[in-house]
Amino acid sequence: MEAAHQDPHLHKQLFGDHFIWGVSTAAFQMEGAANLDGKGVSIWDAFTKKKGKILNGDNADIACDFYHRYKEDIDLIHQLNIPNFRFSISWTRVLPNGDGEVNQQGILFYNNVINYCLEKGIEPWITIYHWDLPQVFEDKGGWTNRQIVNWFTYFVEVCASNFGDRVKNWMVINEPAVFTGAGYFFGIHAPGRIGIKSYLQAVHHAVLSMVAGAKKLRAIVPDAKIGTTFSCSHIEPYSNKTRDINAAKRADAFINRLFIEPILGLGYPVQEVPVLKGIEKIKQPGDDENMRFDFDFIGLQNYTREIVKCSYFTPYVFAKLVKAEKRDVELTTMRWEVYPPAIYEVIKKFNAYGNIKEIYITENGSAFEDSLNNGIVDDQKRLKFLKDNLQQVLKAKTEGYKVNGYFVWTLTDNFEWAEGYHARFGLIYIDFKTQQRVIKSSGRWYANFLK
Ligand code: NOJ
């Protein structure tokens, strides 16, 4: 079962000596300690307390209790031979009121995490914003309020000036397409707002914040490697009919192009999606210049592909995703299609921009149902997913496409947003009643592979 690391076609060395290997997590999904040591309330703390928002009524008050168990978990990262650890900073743990006074207990916690990583020879990679906006700011409009650019820049300043002496790898914002789309258009993620107006404002302010934050980081930590991360899918039209092909182009603009293109100085993809012209009305003088930044790397996060069909009844995009469960394909717990070539396709797609310096896969992984039997979690489906995806990353690299690293999502089972604890993505199983950790077969495979 674990001899796979000897596979001559999938060997760590084939990726080269400089390839970065890691594992990714996020504060809200892991830490718990929701009200401890001065932490303030985030939009996710508030959202999870609302009825009917999270599967099984789960919340993340305790989550994986990483706040108390960070040493045990960093020891596990070490045991799995993983040299790079990506985690995020909870905004309200370091700034309980969003801005103003810094909570020294919050700073101490992240210093402990960083220092323990370094002690174990593990390189820390920080995501500054992984979706847990302070509720005090949401009460003032959150991402729809242009002031967010200043609020966010101050948060970046606090992170950079406290941790930048030891942390050299930074990601400014995680998956802006998801937190603006799910949080401000569809209302299925925090803060649960719905509508095109709030969505377009959130999008534009996220772009401005990403750039303002990156500039602040550069100023405080001149030798930092600065990136930001984007969700991306491989998109295919449902049929060869022109209307489906055009629908796929529109979906692609929303899903894959909306954030990278302004950053590269190409502006929003308004040609494919005219509703984005609404952003022009929100723009202020000087914004065009403040939408671009020369990032050191772009993080791509891929889980699946999407099949897109024309749909005149779906406003703005006139396209809909054909659900994977209707397509007779293998599904994960998230009901996403298992389709490893998608990661190859997105690497290729982002390479086509030409002027991206480095590309890291900052997330890739899968949720499957796991069971603990006699102390063993034999997750063969996740193991295969991992191998098949790595094979596709290797294919891209071998063909000469730029891809500089790969981070698995995620270390342990954790709080999967609206899906609560139902969707397990970890290399390590958690029994949430006891907080006991058990390395899954996939985790053992990754450890052997990285040895
Ligand atoms: C992307 C997000 O960044 C992460 O928080 C989430 O858990 C994974 N995708 C899986 O859905």
Side-chain angles (χ1 to χ4, degrees):
M1 150 176 110
E2 284 161 24
H5 65 287
Q6 291 159 354
D7 182 345
H9 304 293
L10 186 62
H11 196 278
K12 190 182 138 191
Q13 260 62 53
L14 296 171
F15 292 80
D17 288 343
H18 302 293
F19 200 80
I20 299 287
W21 296 99
V23 67
S24 291
T25 65
F28 189 77
Q29 297 178 268
M30 292 282 288
E31 288 177 7
N35 315 305
L36 276 187
D37 297 340
K39 184 182 165 293
V41 177
S42 79
I43 53 173
W44 273 97
D45 290 313
F47 190 69
T48 48
K49 304 294 151 51
K50 291 186 183 163
K51 263 217 169 88
K53 300 294 183 194
I54 312 296
L55 194 64
N56 303 322
D58 290 341
N59 66 55
D61 285 359
I62 299 173
C64 311
D65 198 28
F66 180 77
Y67 189 72
H68 296 110
R69 295 169 195 265
Y70 69 92
K71 280 196 175 172
E72 180 184 348
D73 287 346
I74 294 168
D75 284 341
L76 283 164
I77 297 173
H78 185 248
Q79 199 183 324
L80 294 187
N81 305 317
I82 304 174
N84 295 278
F85 175 35
R86 173 183 174 220
F87 58 92
S88 76
I89 307 291
S90 154
W91 191 332
T92 55
R93 198 178 293 290
V94 296
L95 290 163
N97 302 310
D99 56 10
E101 210 172 322
V102 175
N103 175 26
Q104 290 307 327
Q105 287 167 294
I107 300 293
L108 177 67
F109 169 65
Y110 292 110
N111 274 333
N112 287 340
V113 170
I114 293 162
N115 293 341
Y116 196 63
C117 281
L118 296 174
E119 197 181 312
K120 289 281 157 183
I122 295 163
E123 192 66 29
W125 292 59
I126 286 184
T127 312
I128 297 178
Y129 184 76
H130 202 126
W131 304 358
D132 41 2
L133 183 77
Q135 180 61 35
V136 287
F137 290 151
E138 180 52 31
D139 296 341
K140 296 179 186 168
W143 285 97
T144 68
N145 184 336
R146 195 176 163 103
Q147 280 220 57
I148 185 73
V149 184
N150 299 326
W151 299 330
F152 180 68
T153 308
Y154 177 61
F155 174 40
V156 173
E157 183 181 335
V158 169
C159 294
S161 52
N162 280 283
F163 313 128
D165 57 332
R166 286 149 296 149
V167 179
K168 299 300 171 190
N169 305 291
W170 294 80
M171 284 144 285
V172 182
I173 283 187
N174 180 69
E175 293 197 351
V178 175
F179 83 76
T180 56
Y184 287 85
F185 183 76
F186 290 114
I188 53 172
H189 276 189
R193 292 171 63 179
I194 294 170
I196 193 71
K197 191 168 170 228
S198 59
Y199 170 69
L200 294 178
Q201 289 170 331
V203 166
H204 187 50
H205 299 149
V207 170
L208 294 174
S209 298
M210 205 151 49
V211 171
K215 287 182 181 167
K216 178 59 80 179
L217 201 45
R218 178 71 82 228
I220 299 176
V221 193
D223 59 342
K225 190 150 125 174
I226 303 173
T228 200
T229 75
F230 298 130
S231 50
C232 45
S233 267
H234 174 51
I235 305 228
E236 284 177 34
Y238 178 71
S239 77
N240 284 333
K241 291 189 186 121
T242 312
R243 60 167 194 257
D244 286 335
I245 293 172
N246 289 338
K249 284 188 187 152
R250 290 190 295 273
D252 180 51
F254 270 110
I255 294 174
N256 295 318
R257 299 172 51 199
L258 184 56
F259 288 90
I260 183 66
E261 296 199 356
I263 292 298
L264 295 176
L266 303 169
Y268 294 111
V270 285
Q271 221 175 341
E272 284 73 17
V273 200
V275 70
L276 293 174
K277 286 189 191 141
I279 297 184
E280 298 302 324
K281 297 189 195 122
I282 313 167
K283 268 196 198 163
Q284 292 187 7
D287 279 7
D288 284 323
E289 200 36 52
N290 292 326
M291 285 159 60
R292 55 208 286 180
F293 185 79
D294 192 16
F295 279 98
D296 298 315
F297 70 94
I298 293 298
L300 302 183
Q301 318 201 141
N302 172 258
Y303 290 86
T304 190
R305 75 165 163 179
E306 301 294 353
I307 304 294
V308 177
K309 198 176 181 175
C310 179
S311 159
Y312 293 118
F313 298 108
T314 312
Y316 314 118
V317 59
F318 307 108
K320 66 175 183 197
L321 307 180
V322 183
K323 287 187 177 158
E325 59 252 55
K326 290 198 181 144
R327 292 191 267 117
D328 193 25
V329 292
E330 193 192 350
L331 299 181
T332 67
T333 309
M334 300 295 282
R335 299 181 172 276
W336 296 340
E337 179 187 2
V338 175
Y339 188 73
I343 200 163
Y344 166 81
E345 296 292 346
V346 301
I347 292 169
K348 215 165 126 176
K349 182 179 174 66
F350 278 73
N351 266 260
Y353 285 113
N355 51 346
I356 297 177
K357 286 184 184 154
E358 286 195 308
I359 291 177
Y360 292 91
I361 302 299
T362 39
E363 288 184 25
N364 172 241
S366 55
F368 289 107
E369 267 157 54
D370 291 317
S371 55
L372 177 62
N373 295 313
N374 303 322
I376 289 172
V377 181
D378 192 19
D379 60 333
Q380 289 301 320
K381 285 186 182 170
R382 190 177 292 96
L383 195 163
K384 183 170 189 307
F385 183 97
L386 182 56
K387 279 167 58 174
D388 291 349
N389 274 263
L390 281 176
Q391 199 72 65
Q392 294 290 329
V393 175
L394 181 59
K395 180 178 173 213
K397 193 162 171 59
T398 312
E399 288 176 14
Y401 294 108
K402 193 182 297 175
V403 53
N404 307 86
Y406 177 92
F407 290 68
V408 175
W409 183 268
T410 178
L411 181 64
T412 63
D413 297 335
N414 62 29
F415 180 80
E416 178 54 31
W417 310 110
E419 309 298 314
Y421 298 100
H422 172 67
R424 293 177 175 271
F425 276 91
L427 295 171
I428 298 170
Y429 180 88
I430 293 192
D431 176 340
F432 286 101
K433 288 198 188 76
T434 62
Q435 289 292 343
Q436 192 204 353
R437 273 83 165 136
V438 178
I439 300 175
K440 302 179 193 177
S441 296
S442 59
R444 290 189 196 286
W445 181 85
Y446 197 43
N448 270 319
F449 176 82
L450 294 177
K451 199 151 59 189

